[in-house]
Structure formats: structure tokens, C-alpha cells
Amino acid sequence: MKKMLLAALAVVGLATACRNEADELVVPASGPASLANLTRRYAPPVQVFEFDPTQPHTIRTAGGARLEIVANAFVRSDGSVPIGPAKLLFQEIYNPSEMILANMPTMGWDRNTIVKLESGGEFIVRAKEQTSGLALRLNRTNRSSDSKLIMRSPATGRVLANSSVSRMTQWIPSRWSQSLDSLVWMERDTFTRVGNPVLTVRIPFITDSIAGQGGAFLTTSWPDSLGLINIDVLYQAPGARVKVFLSHDSDLGETRAFFVPAALNGVFRPDLNIGINMLELDRVPQNTDLSAVVIQVKDGKYYFGTHRAPATSGFIYRPVMEEVSEEELVRRIRLL
């Protein structure tokens, strides 16, 4: 097995998020205060791994994930074999502060309803031919990509220690993500015909282990073009509707608001209720230890506010907004 070359593309917090195939991996220069620039500068960095696609490889990421790539796992989009070295682009997002900085909350689309998700990790995975820059896909022998690329994602400490972790499944971006400020996930499934009717089968993440660590989530099944995947289970229960009061000022500038549960690995985006100028989050289990987090950009300046309290029906969170530098804003988010 040839030795892999790892190139971390800048220090943590300064590499661009690779969300589109056409994205160039460059370190964004300092720029004006904006939520988009905040995400570009401080989302978890894209890690770039160079490898020989004709040989098997095992890759250990900075965040503790392990990727196993079999020989000849990747081909070009037309099915031809790549020439020369290839590179794997990998971004891993595990905890609420990273989810906020990357603007990738754990909200899903299920049965025509926006739902909350408990996460075991969010990932952006792409492969490219080194010399041409052409995108590579998994080589689907017999129409299957199973075992071509195996990923073990380290379980995070904030995932609830109960049976829900064994029910984690794959989620991918939904069509709703195209019209929203952040991603909304949909559960990935396959269709299997067993007589009649056709059965829907969810793609599971198997509870596994990584040498020297505790539990982990494992998958051998991938979307056609790799891309964005989320390890999730539904966190949906009858409960309270809570609200976030924003401001008496009608000018909210650029605003992002999140709810962060203390004991759950996830970040939830509330909906704006224009009639009362408040943000709302429904179906939160009573007395959940919850923090409302609001980030704003107004007149070229950053503002940050948070309010932590147990969730009870009708409770209104009132974060006190304070002007902060970009560095201080990021520091506070990372303390969540």
C-alpha cells in the first residue's frame, strides 16, 4: 500500500467549505462582515488526501473518521479509468458549534413536515482526478457501490446514550435546500421489489467501533456522486412550541438563529412568524435544556446573543444582542 499524502488546506477555521463541484479550494481573504463570509472562513476545513486510485488505501481524518478505499474504487463520470493520482476531498462536521459555523443545521424533511434530527456527523465527500480536475464517482460493479468506500464516523459524546444511535440512517440534501439559507435533509432510501408492492428500505448506518476509540457509525453505501451526507435519526416528539424574540427594530440586517439542545447532538433552525416578528420552533419535549443563539450582521458589524432556559410551552427566548468582533463571535460559538 502506498503511503498517502495528506494536505490539510490551511489552519483550522480558514479553509473554504467545498459544497459545489466547481468550488476552488482557496483560502478566502479577509473581507467585509457577512454571514456568507463567516461561513467561508470558519467552517471546518476541507482536507485533501492524495492517493493512487489503483491501490487500496486507509485514510484517517483530522476529526477521527476512518476511510477505507479499495483498489479501482473510482472512475470518471463516463465510466473510464482515471489516469495518475487522484485526490479525496473530505469535510467533517460533528458538533453544534461546527454546524453553526458551517450553517448546516440538523433539520430534515419527513412526510411533508420539517423535523428535527439527532446527528452522528455531517460530511462532504468528493473525489477528483489530480491532473485534469475531473470529478470521479464510485465504480458501480453490478450496479452497487457497497464496500468500495467504507467510512467509520466517530460517535460524538453528545449523541444521546440510548437505542436511537442504532437507528441512525443516511440523509442527503432535499430539494427544499435550493430555496433556503441552509440545508434541509431528506432520508435516503432504496426501493426493493419483493413481489408486489415495492418496499422502501432505509439506508442504515451500522453501529461499529474504531480501534482505540469507542463506538462509531459505519456505512458502505453511498449516493451516486458522493457529495453531502448526514448521519441522523428523527428527534420528534409532542411537546412545547418555543419562540425567539428578535428585536423591536424592523431592520434585522442579516440574521441566523439556532436552537442548541444541551444533551443532544444537533442544531435546529426555527421558522420566522412574520405576524409576530418572532422565530418559532415546534414540538420540543417539555423542559428540554435549550439555548437560543442569534447571529446578526448590521451596518458592517457582527452581533451575537444567546439565551439558555428549559423549553416550556409558549416560552419566549430573549437573547441580548451584543456587538462583537469576528474573532470573538467565533470564540463564543465554539463554546456552545
Side-chain angles (χ1 to χ4, degrees):
M1 182 183 299
K2 293 188 178 181
K3 185 177 180 180
M4 297 173 300
L5 298 177
L6 165 61
L9 207 125
V11 295
V12 172
L14 294 179
T16 183
C18 180
R19 295 201 180 187
N20 301 302
E21 195 65 52
D23 283 350
E24 293 296 330
L25 293 178
V26 295
V27 179
S30 298
S34 75
L35 296 181
N37 284 338
L38 183 73
T39 297
R40 292 191 189 100
R41 285 193 282 271
Y42 294 98
V46 175
Q47 300 165 62
V48 182
F49 300 90
E50 184 180 321
F51 67 100
D52 181 346
T54 67
Q55 301 294 318
H57 291 279
T58 298
I59 294 172
R60 177 80 69 169
T61 70
R66 190 171 77 190
L67 296 160
E68 298 173 22
I69 307 173
V70 305
N72 303 308
F74 293 100
V75 294
R76 295 170 176 165
S77 59
D78 62 2
S80 60
V81 176
I83 299 174
K87 58 184 178 180
L88 186 78
L89 282 56
F90 190 82
Q91 189 177 21
E92 50 193 339
I93 299 167
Y94 293 114
N95 58 55
S97 61
E98 293 174 343
M99 294 170 188
I100 290 174
L101 289 170
N103 194 28
M104 290 179 66
T106 55
M107 302 297 289
W109 182 252
D110 182 67
R111 298 183 179 88
N112 297 323
T113 303
I114 296 294
V115 295
K116 298 174 291 298
L117 305 172
E118 173 188 354
S119 179
E122 301 176 318
F123 303 90
I124 304 175
V125 187
R126 300 194 187 280
K128 291 186 177 183
E129 197 172 49
Q130 178 83 339
T131 52
S132 68
L134 291 174
L136 301 177
R137 62 173 176 81
L138 286 168
N139 184 7
R140 290 183 170 270
T141 306
N142 297 325
R143 302 183 64 81
S144 172
S145 64
D146 287 357
S147 300
K148 297 287 191 307
L149 174 61
I150 301 172
M151 183 181 75
R152 289 174 172 85
S153 161
T156 59
R158 291 180 58 156
V159 174
L160 291 180
N162 58 30
S163 60
S164 69
V165 295
S166 65
R167 293 184 281 111
M168 294 276 183
T169 57
Q170 281 193 33
W171 295 65
I172 56 177
S174 77
R175 58 188 176 89
W176 291 98
S177 300
Q178 299 175 6
S179 59
L180 298 176
D181 175 54
S182 58
L183 288 177
V184 176
W185 303 93
M186 61 181 291
E187 196 168 15
R188 181 170 174 249
D189 54 37
T190 59
F191 299 96
T192 303
R193 182 175 295 280
V194 182
N196 195 18
V198 174
L199 300 178
T200 299
V201 179
R202 305 301 181 189
I203 304 296
F205 269 89
I206 303 168
T207 303
D208 192 40
S209 62
I210 293 179
Q213 300 182 21
F217 302 111
L218 175 145
T219 187
T220 62
S221 181
W222 295 83
D224 288 346
S225 59
L226 302 178
L228 291 90
I229 62 170
N230 197 353
I231 307 174
D232 276 301
V233 67
L234 281 171
Y235 177 69
Q236 194 77 347
R241 171 177 291 181
V242 293
K243 304 175 182 180
V244 182
F245 175 75
L246 294 177
S247 172
H248 291 296
D249 186 354
S250 59
D251 179 16
L252 298 177
E254 290 185 85
T255 299
R256 285 180 187 162
F258 306 90
F259 276 109
V260 181
L264 185 81
N265 198 44
V267 168
F268 310 140
R269 285 291 296 267
D271 295 322
L272 176 63
N273 186 327
I274 298 176
I276 58 176
N277 198 30
M278 290 190 189
L279 296 160
E280 294 183 313
L281 186 68
D282 203 4
R283 302 181 71 182
V284 180
Q286 289 281 352
N287 299 313
T288 297
D289 187 353
L290 204 62
S291 293
V293 178
V294 178
I295 305 167
Q296 288 183 326
V297 179
K298 294 178 64 176
D299 301 322
K301 299 176 181 179
Y302 286 107
Y303 295 84
F304 177 82
T306 185
H307 183 187
R308 180 173 178 175
T312 55
S313 294
F315 185 80
I316 300 176
Y317 290 80
R318 298 179 183 274
V320 176
M321 303 305 294
E322 179 183 356
E323 181 185 337
V324 293
S325 67
E326 185 173 274
E327 293 76 13
E328 176 63 14
L329 172 65
V330 173
R331 188 190 73 84
R332 294 191 187 188
I333 291 172
R334 287 177 174 160
L335 290 175
L336 294 171

